[in-house]
Amino acid sequence: MAAESKRPARARMTGTERREQLLDVSRSLFAHKGFDGTSVEEIASRAKVSKPVVYEHFGGKEGMYAVVVDREVRLLTGALTDALTAGGHPKVLLERTALALLTYIEQNTDGFRILVRDSPVAQATGTFSSLIGDVATEVEHLLADQFTQQGLDPRTAPIYARMLVGMVALTGQHWLDSRSPAKSDVAAHLVNLAWNGLSGLERRPTLTQAPASHA
């Protein structure tokens, strides 16, 4: 009688491979269900492992989420920092920064979805608002130099930096789902508003109508 054919044994993952697999699975779940909507049971089920394996690698859902967020923060921060420090005309820097954010969204959609969610984990350093604050700090130095050259008060650069970065970030959140118009067109419109608006800044802006005082 012919010997029964046996299926080759499936190669076991190394510890590093298993860790990366769990991170990929959890990243997708966190992006679409959020932190609260994702369970260790579902992560283990998707990865085809037992719950103790998840706990062994990350100590729980919180530890896994912290690693996922940290990776995304470093990836996006690196891209934006490269764009801001590449040198060149300030308008070109603005174009590069807008494109860097939109490219990150395009290539790391799940990661961006996670970053823009409010999270109970790592609130001081892992939220999108804190990341945007870090980027704005980089931008304010560039703006301060430009303000000085144009005779504007460089002490106002921090607030303008946050206006600019916030505008780009919120536009990115909208483009995350719409993906229209094309990435280059979105970047061009962002720069059009930001740059042409900045070029006409008043030295001492005031409101046309003073706000009514309240007793």
Side-chain angles (χ1 to χ4, degrees), residues 94 162-172 189-191 193-194:
L94 184 58
R162 278 150 184 79
M163 291 175 191
L164 277 172
V165 174
M167 179 181 70
V168 174
L170 285 174
T171 302
H189 284 297
L190 276 168
V191 174
L193 174 60

Side-chain angles (χ1 to χ4, degrees), residues 7-153:
R7 289 189 302 175
R10 186 171 58 183
R12 294 186 60 182
M13 289 186 182
T14 65
T16 300
E17 290 171 339
R18 178 64 71 191
R19 179 181 174 85
E20 291 302 316
Q21 181 217 19
L22 290 171
L23 286 173
D24 287 342
V25 168
S26 62
R27 183 174 181 264
S28 177
L29 288 171
F30 288 141
H32 294 92
K33 292 191 170 186
F35 178 82
D36 291 332
T38 300
S39 66
V40 172
E41 289 84 355
E42 188 170 10
I43 294 170
S45 176
R46 291 278 187 96
K48 295 181 170 56
V49 299
S50 63
K51 285 172 57 178
V53 173
V54 178
Y55 289 114
E56 176 186 348
H57 282 277
F58 298 99
K61 185 173 71 170
E62 292 80 3
M64 179 175 289
Y65 190 92
V67 173
V68 170
V69 169
D70 181 66
R71 284 189 173 191
E72 295 304 324
V73 167
R74 286 190 284 113
L75 186 61
L76 179 53
T77 302
L80 296 177
T81 300
D82 288 345
L84 287 168
T85 58
H89 192 277
K91 184 178 180 182
V92 175
L93 293 181
L94 184 58
E95 291 174 353
R96 288 176 184 157
T97 303
L99 279 173
L101 176 63
L102 295 173
T103 298
Y104 168 82
I105 295 172
E106 184 178 57
Q107 298 178 352
N108 303 276
T109 301
D110 282 352
F112 189 73
R113 288 189 191 280
I114 292 170
L115 289 181
V116 297
R117 288 180 184 272
D118 287 330
S119 163
V121 181
Q123 289 188 351
T125 58
T127 63
F128 189 59
S129 59
S130 67
L131 174 62
I132 291 305
D134 291 341
V135 175
T137 299
E138 295 283 342
V139 173
E140 71 181 61
H141 299 302
L142 300 171
L143 282 183
D145 291 340
Q146 289 300 309
F147 279 23
T148 299
Q149 292 177 26
Q150 296 179 31
L152 301 170
D153 186 355

Side-chain angles (χ1 to χ4, degrees), residues 157-192:
I159 191 170
Y160 279 101
R162 278 150 184 79
M163 291 175 191
L164 277 172
V165 174
M167 179 181 70
V168 174
L170 285 174
T171 302
Q173 286 181 257
H174 170 74
W175 190 73
L176 170 68
D177 293 315
S178 68
R179 298 300 171 96
S180 176
K183 177 176 67 176
S184 58
D185 291 337
V186 175
H189 284 297
L190 276 168
V191 174
N192 183 38

